[in-house]
Amino acid sequence: MKLKINNLSKSYGLHSVLDGISFEFESGKIYGLIGKNGAGKTTFFHCLNGMIHRNCGEVVLTADDGSAQPLSQRNTGFIESTPVLPEFLTGREFIQFLIDIQEEKEKFSIDELFEAVDLNRKDQEKLIKTYSHGMKNKIQLLTLFICNSPVLFLDEPLTSLDVVVASDIKKIILKMKKDHIIIFSTHILQLATDLCDELVILHDKKLTLLDNRMLNNKNFEDEIIQLLKDDGDAEICESRF
Ligand SMILES: Nc1ncnc2c1ncn2[C@@H]1O[C@H](COP(=O)(O)OP(=O)(O)OP(=O)(O)O)[C@@H](O)[C@H]1O
Ligand SMILES: [Mg+2]
């Protein structure tokens, strides 16, 4: 399975954020997306699955048998950095509802799902609007497991999870990579080295695939910082002159 992006551009008014990006992601690998605050990572995810309008470009999901379909919210699972959930339901009500609308609902055990993200029964029965950020992230993760979309976008998914759950979730994400295309953005470089097969940098409105030998390099962190810093200096120069 492949996700092919061809000539994707996005501007907000006159502010260009993504400029002519062409790239190919494949299943079986976890891609780490790294970029400074405001580089356009969230915009990139939203443009790919059609949550926001793109100025131009095509995003196509190609199966191993060659059949192709445009990427949309229907074939994408998404953990938003700011969770969007039905706050008027309890966590348990929402997850039960999601299970009930699946074709093969009998394959899910709601208790096992909640156990996987370590959310106890008392918390499951509270309204989502009273949840902490990390608890909302856990509910979002469960939606990924249940809907099982072929493409998964994780926008800073582990940042607000406690260390125990983050470690469990890392293991689950690793298990899912075989038959999914997984792209996750993070500012935590250690996480990128732990989890990713490939690193992609979003800078200067373009995506660049880094040589993945860098992941094992002891100067990895300094090199990434230098790359992103150089980019920042260039922007500052441009805006001054
Ligand atoms: N709805 C919007 N309208 C106008 N400009 C926007 C909008 N959303 C994002 N931007 C701008 O687009 C640029 C990219 O923002 P985006 O949120 O995609 O960055 P990001 O890489 O996800 O940042 P962070 O690491 O802080 O999450 C920023 O300059 C931001 O101000
Ligand atoms: Mg973002």
Side-chain angles (χ1 to χ4, degrees):
M1 194 167 47
K2 286 192 171 149
L3 179 64
K4 294 182 184 173
I5 302 166
N6 186 25
N7 198 28
L8 168 67
S9 294
K10 171 69 188 172
S11 305
Y12 294 106
L14 294 176
H15 178 200
S16 161
V17 179
L18 308 172
D19 183 19
I21 290 179
S22 295
F23 205 87
E24 206 171 281
F25 294 96
E26 57 188 54
S27 53
K29 285 183 178 176
I30 300 179
Y31 293 85
L33 179 63
I34 292 189
K36 293 197 300 186
N37 292 128
K41 300 175 297 296
T42 300
T43 299
F44 178 65
F45 287 138
H46 287 169
C47 278
L48 290 190
N49 73 355
M51 274 175 79
I52 58 172
H53 170 78
R54 39 187 188 253
N55 297 80
C56 68
E58 277 187 336
V59 185
V60 175
L61 183 62
T62 312
D64 293 338
D65 65 6
S67 59
Q69 50 179 314
L71 198 72
S72 70
Q73 291 182 63
R74 284 182 176 275
N75 46 21
T76 314
F78 196 177
I79 296 196
E80 296 261 14
S81 53
T82 310
V84 183
L85 292 165
E87 305 231 319
F88 54 90
L89 294 178
T90 67
R92 196 167 173 99
E93 282 168 345
F94 176 52
I95 293 303
Q96 187 61 60
F97 164 75
L98 268 189
I99 292 174
D100 288 344
I101 59 173
Q102 303 303 311
E103 270 176 21
E104 298 174 276
K105 49 176 166 277
E106 57 290 338
K107 77 175 188 198
F108 298 102
S109 149
I110 190 162
D111 290 325
E112 276 176 24
L113 284 167
F114 278 113
E115 210 173 293
V117 293
D118 194 23
L119 198 69
N120 66 40
R121 186 69 188 236
K122 196 162 152 241
D123 286 336
Q124 292 168 29
E125 289 173 353
K126 286 184 189 161
L127 286 179
I128 292 176
K129 75 175 176 196
T130 67
Y131 280 11
S132 69
H133 193 264
M135 288 158 80
K136 287 182 182 172
N137 260 347
K138 289 178 180 184
I139 298 289
Q140 285 203 303
L141 275 163
L142 292 184
T143 68
L144 288 195
F145 304 153
I146 296 168
C147 299
N148 198 26
S149 306
V151 178
L152 304 180
F153 296 152
L154 315 178
D155 200 359
E156 296 176 50
L158 303 178
T159 319
S160 59
L161 297 178
D162 65 62
V163 283
V164 179
V165 178
S167 152
D168 289 345
I169 298 297
K170 272 198 245 174
K171 288 179 200 145
I172 295 171
I173 294 175
L174 280 168
K175 265 195 215 154
M176 289 176 92
K177 80 173 179 178
K178 187 165 63 69
D179 42 12
H180 293 81
I181 294 172
I182 302 179
I183 310 172
F184 86 92
S185 76
T186 183
H187 294 296
I188 305 170
L189 292 178
Q190 182 62 50
L191 192 58
T193 47
D194 282 358
L195 213 53
C196 294
D197 301 287
E198 302 283 0
L199 264 196
V200 182
I201 291 223
L202 179 56
H203 71 111
D204 201 15
K205 307 172 201 172
K206 304 267 189 209
L207 275 193
T208 311
L209 181 69
L210 296 184
D211 183 338
N212 60 8
R213 281 173 301 187
M214 250 180 102
L215 286 164
N216 304 316
N217 187 333
K218 66 178 169 37
N219 297 326
F220 166 72
E221 194 164 335
D222 291 341
E223 289 184 33
I224 297 280
I225 291 170
Q226 201 50 48
L227 271 171
L228 297 176
K229 252 192 187 164
D230 288 348
D231 172 39
D233 291 347
E235 264 179 24
I236 290 164
C237 291
E238 265 173 34
S239 62
R240 281 207 189 133
F241 300 108

